[in-house]
Amino acid sequence: MGLKVVKFGGTSLASAEAFRKVKNIIEQDPNRRYVVPSAPGKRFNDDTKVTDLLYQCYEAVSNGQPYDHIFNAIKERYTSIVTGLELDYDIVCHLDHVYKTLPSTVTPDYAASRGEYLNGLLLAAYLGVPFVDAANVIFFNAQGQLDMAKTEAAIKEKLADYPRAVIPGFYGSLPNGEIKTFSRGGSDITGALVARAVNAAMYENWTDVSGIYMADPRIISQPKEISHITYSELRELAYAGANVLHEDAIYPVRQVGIPINIRNTNRPEDPGTLIISSNGNGEAESDVTGIAGRKDFVIITIEKALMHSETGFVRRLLSILEEEDISFEHMPSGIDSVSLVISECQLKGKLETVIAKIDKRLEPDKVEVFHEIALIATVGRRMVYKKGIAARLFTALAESGINIRLIAQGSSEMNIIIGIENKDFDQAVKSIYNAFVN
Ligand code: ASP
């Protein structure tokens, strides 16, 4: 196996003990040469992530309020790691610099980025490898979008001089030199960008679970972990609501076919989940790869006799959404009816206007609105080849007494999406899971 880029999430770097585990993991495999850390995360349930403390500092500074007490909590996080590791490293001078620069350089992005910056310095010192500031290799354009070409070239050039390095996650710089961060959880993206630029054989993403679960563990107790999943399946699951990798972290590695391995820092012996481009050797685990969903959608159903022969009907319907700046999720249709599934928050304050415009411009026979709808996606790359999957799914829901309000199947035939009432959400996930897993 060739070169690996390893990204460690916040809980994997939350304490001195966690740092020790990370060092062990890195030392176990000489291919683990480029390391991308997050900022220290939560050590226990009620703990506060360093990134959140930094955002609080920003709030305080920008409102002209004192921020010493918040900054002291941040300082304590880093100094306790240094002390716990018995490391001879002066993190305090870097902390003091950040403390002093906050009022003059105050943007939320600069403040938040210092969590990864300081953790990167600390981890580099602890591992005894060079630190490469992400501000010098991750670039955004003036509009704040990632400049992939410039970033890739810069990482390649810089890391050519370093066989090993620590590159902090989450941030980069704008053309004017200002610090800019990705959205929350963005260290995953930095890891993917580094993996792509150095042409890694594997992008390992270390976290605090042994892979991606088949279903939400808050609903299913101890769900099975997925051993293999394709990038496309992951995209479907993440979109449907599964909380896995940052969604922008998939594209850079997917394009060049670098597999992602989700691993558990606390159980490094577990193989984790492997995210790959295709089924590979085709071994079957389960007919369904994963189940995910979200609540709070609205269904607007429009009926009109002879709708099917009225040209431009759907275009006019969608232009109403466009005017109101609303995006929709699904649009199942019948011969003389069409439904729109839209998230409740997209429609906030706009529903009446939308209905009024539909009435006026489309002259429907009937418009019905159903609130509190949940969508559940059952995703599996093997569905395409397999008979009876839909039958099993719908039988399971029927046996649990769940009324299905809507069915949609992606053209990839990789998922079946059902719309049900919010109140049936947990039971529906359980029924589907049990139908395919147990
Ligand atoms: N520390 C940042 C956050 O909490 C980025 C990351 O952890 O990926 O969102």
Side-chain angles (χ1 to χ4, degrees):
M1 172 61 77
L3 165 58
K4 291 178 180 174
V5 170
V6 286
K7 179 256 165 179
F8 290 91
T11 46
S12 301
L13 291 164
S15 64
E17 194 200 339
F19 265 66
R20 280 202 194 90
K21 290 183 189 168
V22 164
K23 188 174 186 185
N24 265 333
I25 290 167
I26 293 170
E27 286 177 348
Q28 263 163 29
D29 185 345
N31 289 318
R32 294 185 175 131
R33 286 172 29 203
Y34 297 115
V35 184
V36 175
S38 285
K42 291 186 178 197
R43 293 159 294 183
F44 42 86
N45 268 352
D46 295 336
D47 203 9
T48 310
K49 286 172 144 197
V50 164
T51 309
D52 290 321
L53 292 170
L54 284 160
Y55 279 121
Q56 287 174 24
C57 272
Y58 160 76
E59 282 296 321
V61 172
S62 56
N63 292 324
Q65 288 162 352
Y67 62 103
D68 286 37
H69 60 295
I70 312 169
F71 202 83
N72 283 341
I74 297 171
K75 205 166 176 174
E76 194 276 326
R77 294 295 306 267
Y78 289 102
T79 50
S80 71
I81 295 173
V82 173
T83 317
L85 295 175
E86 297 174 15
L87 189 66
D88 182 18
Y89 183 69
D90 190 1
I91 193 72
V92 174
C93 91
H94 293 286
L95 279 157
D96 286 348
H97 179 74
V98 172
Y99 174 80
K100 284 196 209 102
T101 50
L102 274 180
S104 56
T105 342
V106 73
T107 66
D109 285 22
Y110 172 75
S113 73
R114 295 306 86 185
E116 270 70 11
Y117 172 79
L118 292 163
N119 225 23
L121 286 171
L122 194 47
L123 185 62
Y126 180 51
L127 297 174
V129 304
F131 170 81
V132 170
D133 191 347
N136 300 327
V137 289
I138 305 276
F139 296 109
F140 296 89
N141 63 23
Q143 288 71 46
Q145 285 143 350
L146 175 73
D147 185 334
M148 179 81 107
K150 191 172 168 193
T151 296
E152 197 171 344
I155 300 174
K156 267 198 174 96
E157 193 188 326
K158 188 81 187 172
L159 296 189
D161 298 336
Y162 297 108
R164 300 183 63 194
V166 171
I167 310 104
F170 192 38
Y171 70 93
S173 55
L174 289 161
N176 65 5
E178 243 179 53
I179 294 292
K180 156 122 188 88
T181 63
F182 293 110
S183 57
R184 296 299 303 264
S187 300
D188 286 341
I189 310 173
T190 311
L193 292 170
V194 175
R196 177 189 169 110
V198 300
N199 200 11
M202 178 73 78
Y203 170 28
E204 287 182 349
N205 192 296
W206 291 81
T207 174
D208 55 358
V209 286
S210 293
I212 302 171
Y213 291 124
M214 279 190 73
D216 188 337
R218 287 166 301 185
I219 301 174
I220 307 287
S221 93
Q222 301 189 319
K224 264 179 79 171
E225 280 123 11
I226 301 169
S227 74
H228 292 76
I229 184 169
T230 63
Y231 300 115
S232 323
E233 287 175 306
L234 184 67
R235 167 100 180 104
E236 300 277 353
L237 279 180
Y239 186 73
N243 183 10
V244 223
L245 277 182
H246 192 296
E247 64 170 336
D248 294 342
I250 299 170
Y251 171 76
V253 284
R254 175 184 187 161
Q255 243 198 348
V256 289
I258 301 170
I260 309 172
N261 191 192
I262 311 280
R263 300 285 292 266
N264 187 348
T265 310
N266 299 315
R267 292 182 56 91
E269 64 284 6
D270 289 352
T273 297
L274 198 59
I275 307 165
I276 40 179
S277 54
S278 71
N279 200 5
N281 53 16
E283 86 302 350
E285 296 156 43
S286 155
D287 295 333
V288 157
T289 304
I291 303 152
R294 279 186 287 151
K295 289 185 183 169
D296 297 330
F297 291 91
V298 177
I299 303 180
I300 304 176
T301 298
I302 302 143
E303 285 177 28
K304 186 173 184 185
L306 303 181
M307 178 194 287
H308 74 288
S309 57
E310 188 177 327
T311 50
F313 189 91
V314 169
R315 180 184 52 73
R316 279 180 286 138
L317 174 62
L318 295 186
S319 68
I320 296 172
L321 297 189
E322 193 174 354
E323 279 166 26
E324 296 299 320
D325 197 22
I326 294 168
S327 66
F328 70 96
E329 305 287 321
H330 300 284
M331 191 174 51
S333 62
I335 301 172
D336 285 332
S337 71
V338 59
S339 297
L340 288 167
V341 185
I342 304 171
S343 81
E344 198 94 52
C345 62
Q346 283 273 327
L347 271 174
K348 217 177 198 154
K350 298 178 178 173
L351 182 61
E352 276 181 23
T353 315
V354 169
I355 302 295
K357 286 186 176 180
I358 291 176
D359 276 335
K360 186 152 179 254
R361 295 192 205 164
L362 301 171
E363 296 175 340
D365 298 332
K366 193 164 154 198
V367 179
E368 277 186 297
V369 179
F370 305 98
H371 289 274
E372 300 199 3
I373 297 291
L375 295 179
I376 299 180
T378 303
V379 176
R381 59 184 177 272
R382 300 176 201 90
M383 274 183 192
V384 167
Y385 314 105
K386 211 73 203 231
K387 296 185 191 89
I389 305 248
R392 257 155 88 192
L393 190 143
F394 294 121
T395 306
L397 292 170
E399 279 171 0
S400 302
I402 293 169
N403 186 18
I404 301 170
R405 308 295 292 264
L406 168 141
I407 302 167
Q409 187 175 27
S411 54
S412 61
E413 287 187 60
M414 212 173 44
N415 63 2
I416 299 172
I417 295 160
I418 54 150
I420 50 161
E421 288 177 33
N422 272 350
K423 66 173 177 45
D424 292 330
F425 185 75
D426 286 12
Q427 185 53 49
V429 172
K430 282 183 194 150
S431 306
I432 300 172
Y433 182 86
N434 290 334
F436 290 99
V437 180
N438 296 326

